[in-house]
Structure formats: C-alpha cells, structure tokens
Amino acid sequence: MEAARLLSLCLLLAAVASTAGQRPRAVSVGALFDYESTIGRAARLAIELAVDDVNADRSVLAGTKMDLVMEDTNCSGFVGTVQALQLMEKNMVAVIGPQSSVIGHVISHFVSELHVPLLSFGATDPTLSASEYPYFLRSTVSDYFQMRAVASIISYYQWKEVTTIFVDDDYGRGGVSSLGDFLAAKRAKISYKAAIPPNANTDVIGDILFKVNMMESRIIVVHVNPDTGLQIFSIANELQMMAGGYVWIVTDWLAAVLDSSRSGYPENMSYMQGMIVLRQHIPDSDAKKKFTSKWNTAARKRKIASGLNSYGFYAYDSAWIVAHAIDHFLDSGQQINFSTDPRLHDSDASSITLSTLKIFDGGEHLLQQLLLTNFTGLTGLVQFDSDRNLVHPAYDILNIGGSVPRLIGYWSNYSGLSVATPEILYLKPPNMSTSAQQLDSMVWPGDSTTKPRGWVFPNNGQPLRIGVPNKPSFKEFVASGKGPDNVTGYCIDIFNAAVKLLPYPVPSKFISIGDGTHNPKYDDIINMVANNTIDVAVGDFAIVKNRTRIAEFTQPYIESGMVIVAPVKQSTSSAWAFFKPFTFEMWCVTGTLFVFVGIVVWILEHRTNEEFRGTPQEQVLTIFWFAFSTMFFAHRQNTVSGLGRFVLIIWLFVVLIINSSYTASLTSILTVQQLVTGITGLDSLIASTVPIGYPAGKFIRNYLIEELNIHESRLVPLNTIQDYADALNRGPKAGGVAAVIDEMPCVELFLSYHCNFRIVGQEFTKEGWGFAFQRDSPLAADMSTAILQLSETGQLQRIHDEWLTRPSCSSDDSGLGPSRLDLGSFWGLFLLCAMICLFSLGVFFVKISWQYSRYSGSVSAGEPSEAAAATSPAVSQVHPMKPKPRRLDSFKDLMHFVDKKEEDVKKEMKQRSSSDKDHHGVGSSDTHTVVDSA
C-alpha cells in the first residue's frame, strides 16, 4: 500500500515537472491604437504582418503561437483607457501601444500595477519617463531627440526667437518644453507659445494664428497631431502666412501624412512650398524594401486608402521585440501565470468588475528581457540604452518644394546635422563641432533661395517704447521736451536715422525718464529694458560689462573712454626762468662735460696747434673759452689733429641736442599753461587724497570704487556742466574737486564751453555708446547693421558735426605742466661722448709713449760715458764702449717732453740720428789707425 502511494506521488511529480518545462501553445499580446488615424492605419497592418511573420518563423517562439488582440482607442483618451482595461482582463503578457501619448500617461499607471510591459511605437512625449512609469518602454524615437534636431536647425541658421504652435495636450506640451530647453542652451528662445486645444475648429485655429501673425518672430515650429495639422496650413495660407519671410519647421507628423498619401503630393498642399519637415530616419535595406512591397500588396487587397509611414516600421519592429523577449522569457524556464490583486475586489455598490484584472507574475522578468533586446530590424539596430531609449536616434530633414519633398540632410544624436547618412557617420569618430554641421541648399517660402531674417517688427499695434534720460546737462546728446515726441539730440538723430534704414516700419513712442533737474540712474533705465518696462534705451549709454549681462546692445555709434579734467592756469614768467629747463644735476653734469671736453681737445691739440700754446694762464683761458664757446658754435681755435677733430665733431652733435632741448623746454615753460592741482594723470590722481567729481547717475561711480579702489568719500556727484566748472574752480580747499572724470564725448563738449580746463593724462578705458534692447532682440542686430551703414555712408559723421562741433579750446595735454629735463633723457648721449673722449686720449697717450721711448733712446746713444774716455782714451778708441742709456727725471721729464712741440721733437730726433751715424764713422777710422800703429 505504501509502495503504491509512493509510486503515485513520483508519477505526479514527474507529470508536474513535465508540464512545467513545456511551452504554452499560445501567448496573448495586446495592441492598442486608433484604427482610423494616419498612424494607426499604417501600424495596424504592420503589426498584423509582423505577427504572421513571427508565427511563420520556427526560430522564434518555436511551438508557441503569438495571439494578437487589438483594441481601437478611437482618438479618445477616455475610450482608450477603457479599451486598455478590457485588454488587461484578457491576461495580456505585453501590450504594443498605445499610439497616443495622452493615453500612454493614463494606462502606464495600470500596467505598472499589473506588471504588464507596455511597448509604444507612437507615444513620443519625452515626459513619459521610465522613472515614473517603470513598465513603459518606447520602441520609437522620443521627441526629446526630435526637438534637439529642431534646435540644431534653428541654431544652424542663426535664428534667435521662435514661435511654437502645438496641440495642448501631453504630447504637445512635452515636446515644446524640451524644445525650449535645447534652444536656451543655444542662446535662443521661444518668444511665443500658441496652444491649440485638441479637436479645435477652424475658428479657434484662425484666432490663434492671427495672434501668431502679430508676433515679431517669423520662425514657426508646428508640433500637432497628423489628423488635424493640415487645417493649420490652410488657415495660415488665408492669412498670407505662407509668403516670403516666414519659416515653417514641422515635426515628423507632417512627414507621416505625406508618406501616407497614396495619391502623391496633395494638390491642396501646394502652398506649403519651402517648409522644413522632419521624418524619422529609416535606413535603406533589402528587408525594408521587401516589407514595403509586402505591406503595399496587403493594403491593396484590404483596400486601405493610406500608405505606409515611418511609424509602420516601428510598429512592425515592436511586435518582433515582444516576440524575442517572450522567446527568451520561456527559454529561461519562466511560466506565464497571473494572480489576483487583493486590492482589487468587486463592490456590491458598483457594477464594475475589478477582480478580472490580474497581475502578470512574470512581468518583471519579461521587462528585463525586453530591455536586453538586440537585433537588426527594419528601423536598424534595435537596442535600448540605459535611459530606455533606442540607440542611434536620427531624422531625415526634408524641404517641401516641387512635386515631392527633397532630402537636404540628416540629424543624428551621434554627429548632429550632416549631408551624409547616419550609417556612414557611425563608422567615424563623432564630430559635433559647428564647422561639421551641414545642410544642402534650401528653397524658402515665396520660392526664395535667400535665408529669411526670421523676424519682423510686430504688427500688433503697439509702438516701440523708447526710454530716454531726462537730465539737466549735455542736452546736445539727448534733450527731452514737454511732449513725448519732443525729444532731440545727437543720440536721437542717430537712432531715427538708423530706424529709417530698416526694411520694415517701426512705430515708436519716446518715454522721458527723470525729473530734468537731476540725472537719472542709467543702470535703472537699463533694468527697465530688461524687465520689459520699456523696449529700448536711447541716449549716452556706455556699453559696459554689467549692462551687457541683462540687455542687448547695438554696434557702438561713437567711441567713448573715461578721461580726467583738471583746471589749468597761465604760466607766469620768472627772472630765473632760464634755469628751469634743466634740473640741478643736469646743469652740473653738462658744465662738467664742457670742461672735460675742453681739456681733452687741449691735450690732443697742444703739441701740434699753436693756438693751444702759450703761457699757463693763456692755456687755461683757452681751455675754458674753447669749451663754452662751442655751445654757440663760436669757437675761434681750429683743430688740426685727427683725434681732436673727431672729438670735436661728436661734441658739436651733443651740443646741438642740448641746445635744441633747452630751447624747446624754455619755450614751453614761458608759454604753456600749468596745472593748478598738480594732477598729471590717473596714477597721480589715485595716489592722492583729493576729492574727485563724477557725473551723477552714470556707471563711472561704480567703476572708480570697484575697479580703481578709490574710496567713496572722495567722490562728489555732479549734474550739470556748470557744476563741473564751479567745482573745479573752487578746488579741494574751497569745497570743490581737484579733477572730474567723465566720458570723452561729454568732456569734449564741456571743454568747448570752458577754456580754463584741460584733459590730463591718457584715456584710461575703451568703450562706446550703443542703444540697449532686450536680450536676444533681433531688432538690436538689424539696428547694428543700420549703424554700420550710416558709418559707411558718412551720415554718422555728419550728425556728429551738426551737434557736437563747436569752437573749442584745445584738449591737447602735451603742454600741460612741462617736465624739467634731467639726466634720464641724456645719459646715453653723455656716456657716448665721454667714451669717445677717453678713447681719443688713450690713442694719444699710446702715441706719446712710443715717441718718448724713441726719444729717450736717441738721447742715450748720442752721449758716451766721459769717465771711460778719460781713463783709457786708447782703449776707448780701440774698443769703444756701448753707450749706457741715461735716465730722465721720470714724470718731470715726461711732462717736459709732452709740452714740446711735435715739430721740435721730430727735428731733434732727426738731428741726433744723423749725429749718431757720423760718430760711428769716425770711431771706425780711429780704430784702424791704432791697429796699424801697433
């Protein structure tokens, strides 16, 4: 009995094990989409063909059939949700769909609770994220990448502002939100968002497009549903928004509509010429061609009116993704089981049956198998990255023109815009540099080949609000009258002249800012531009760093840098003014050099020149007379030696330089104006402690404190030109200022009224004046172009001359406070002269030493020893002794030798040389006589 029971248990366990290892005969897979939509018609047939191919392929789901259960969402979020619940009641292991992002947001909550993977081929909303919906998986390209492609196109053509038209649901809002983020990264923005309610009628669309047409941006991005989008273009054409100057960039919904049209290019779309359209990139392959042919054949048999679009390819691959995942799921020994959720139970008070909704026990494992998908499908490599997006997202960029859209390039997440296919670029290193981005030539709306500017002045009846400072001074630049249009000045004329050059009308209204008695704060006016209180600030606004962070400035129409103005007075003559050109050290060194050169020339000329000889008193006078008379080139003594002439030439050149410098400096001292305060430039002003005036309201105060570290207590705000003059005239001791710092144009105008002030030092900043617009305003760029045109035609200078040219005092500071000449300006010249003098003396003394040695030798040879001759006259006659040199009395003899004339020395040496020869002859004759006598 026990043996029988044990045998029965073993057989039961074997049967259970055998049953556990068997594959199920069929698995149920749901499909959820709109049957009659542009995308749904292509996707329905594609999914059915995919299921047929899966069931016919024995290498996938061998022995298991994929049963497809489809539900129609009927383009309704409510109906789609109900249909999704009905699918869940039928124990689906996975659902292909939904097509709509709106339904995807709703049913993703259901499938997450029931652990049923949701694989959507049409829900492209970027906000459908895996973190919020773990069982949602997108088998198509997210609009996150499509909007990145749109932003790349806008950046490629250098447009800055965009208007978006989008359907007001999760799909539209999610896409436009991503576009705004990508545009901001490229320093562009969405200037106006036009939300169209789902299923809006033509009247509502017309009102929205009318508002769009009132905006300044002409770059329009359309992101709506395929089945209602064509109405937008029809109404826009009636509003003449399809003409030249507009740019229409349409997301991939329009490509789906065009590809689905079996009759080719629709006649009622002829007004869409010049549009840019994106389409999901499907690489060419034999499998794609084979499937396209198969789909078209089946569509004709079923009398399907529309054609195949890119979503059909993704729907086909979605079915294969599910098939491969289920196959791996079953191969791993997993079973398809469902269990009830204790939280879902039927209520006696409700007729809704919730208990039929069951949890797929293997849902988590199947989801992991889906994420591990890796095969090549019709859409290319089918594989998911870490963010659950398909790898290698790419788009075709089409230009509607002629009978069919023309391919002008591609965009891929790998290399950006290119004219080469993404498949070629995948084989190369990624290159997202600006120079690598390329597109073919475009035909724009209005059959134009010129890139539209993308911006016009808004036709909304609102004039341009122009803020101008109302201040009490420098009214030549800008002056506000009693009325809003009674504004004049140099800056106003330039602005009006530039506006006339714009290719569109710009109605404007001037707004005075300030009370007219005190200067308004210019930074506050720039902030008004940034805060949209006014549209543009016109006046003497300097383009500085802090302002460019919040406003957009035009090209500078005048250069402006800060300068220092100080009071000056006429120099009064002095009885000793002729001493002022040189410093004391300069006078001493110059006088010493005169004496030194005189001594050098005397030494070089004394032995050869009679004019440099005489009594000691006469020679000293000659040295001083010759030295100082060269200052006036009036020396009477002539130089005859080569070295003397060489020294004299160099010395006369030095004298010429000294005379010229002295004359120029003395003239300047006697005629130019002198600074009252002693401020000679920026460095001396910073180093001092004197008060400094500055124009109230301008940026100069912050610059002096923050950049130059000048204490705030030293700064005195001034408002008018008369305030400048009064403060400078009073000076620091009387409560005034030592100097005023302002911009060059203002200073030049101030000096034209007051001639007792001057610019000191150099201009120590470089900036310019420009018109301030709101950030990234296209009007700023057009105004910059107009200002350049004014400059090239000379009109900018004519306006300047009309307002700012007045009889004025010279602003040249070259004659202010002339510096006394010191050794620093002449030490090189003096050193050169001294070295030449020393060199000449060296050569002279070498020559003297040589002559002295010869002269000394000749003296010794001509005077034999008297003692030797007296002691032994015969011997001396027979054996004459070699003469012994006689020493001269050292330095005294040398000076005596130097004092001799050159001519006398040579004559004496010549006579002694002859005497030596005669003496040598007589000595030889006496020697022969003595020998003979012996």
Side-chain angles (χ1 to χ4, degrees), residues 60 85 166 220 237 285 343 394 411 480 644 671 691 835 844 857:
V60 180
L85 291 174
F166 61 98
I220 304 173
N237 185 53
S285 64
R343 297 173 298 175
W411 180 91
S480 300
T671 59
M835 290 179 64
F844 174 77

Side-chain angles (χ1 to χ4, degrees), residues 390-601:
L390 288 175
V391 297
H392 296 167
Y395 285 88
D396 299 336
I397 302 175
L398 310 175
N399 179 211
I400 297 180
S403 58
V404 293
R406 183 172 61 93
L407 182 66
I408 62 171
Y410 305 89
W411 180 91
S412 70
N413 190 42
Y414 187 75
S415 293
L417 299 173
S418 69
V419 293
T421 61
E423 290 71 37
I424 294 176
L425 297 178
Y426 293 149
L427 303 176
K428 302 177 181 179
N431 187 0
M432 297 291 285
S433 64
T434 303
S435 59
Q437 308 301 293
Q438 294 181 1
L439 288 176
D440 281 341
S441 59
M442 276 281 301
V443 176
W444 304 99
D447 199 26
S448 172
T449 57
T450 303
K451 184 193 78 171
R453 182 173 56 251
W455 181 90
V456 296
F457 192 81
N459 188 22
N460 55 11
Q462 297 295 327
L464 193 70
R465 299 165 299 176
I466 306 172
V468 295
N470 184 15
K471 54 182 184 175
S473 64
F474 298 106
K475 294 185 178 295
E476 288 84 352
F477 296 118
V478 57
S480 300
K482 295 182 179 180
D485 296 328
N486 189 17
V487 181
T488 59
Y490 166 71
C491 303
I492 303 301
D493 281 4
I494 290 179
F495 181 82
N496 291 333
V499 167
K500 291 180 182 178
L501 296 178
L502 298 178
Y504 43 83
V506 181
S508 58
K509 178 179 68 175
F510 288 96
I511 301 173
S512 297
I513 302 172
D515 56 11
T517 58
H518 298 86
N519 291 343
K521 292 184 177 180
Y522 279 33
D523 286 343
D524 291 346
I525 299 177
I526 301 299
N527 285 325
M528 293 175 66
V529 175
N531 297 332
N532 199 26
T533 305
I534 56 177
D535 298 313
V536 56
V538 175
D540 49 339
F541 292 95
I543 305 173
V544 294
K545 178 180 63 177
N546 292 336
R547 295 175 181 175
T548 57
R549 294 173 178 171
I550 60 175
E552 189 83 15
F553 280 86
T554 62
Q555 169 81 16
Y557 56 85
I558 187 173
E559 291 189 3
S560 172
M562 285 190 286
V563 293
I564 302 172
V565 180
V568 294
K569 64 180 180 180
Q570 193 68 29
S571 176
T572 57
S573 297
S574 166
W576 306 101
F578 60 88
F579 280 119
K580 292 183 179 180
F582 291 161
T583 61
F584 177 76
E585 293 80 5
M586 181 67 180
W587 280 115
C588 293
V589 172
T590 303
T592 302
L593 194 61
F594 268 96
V595 175
F596 175 69
V597 172
I599 293 173
V600 170
V601 173

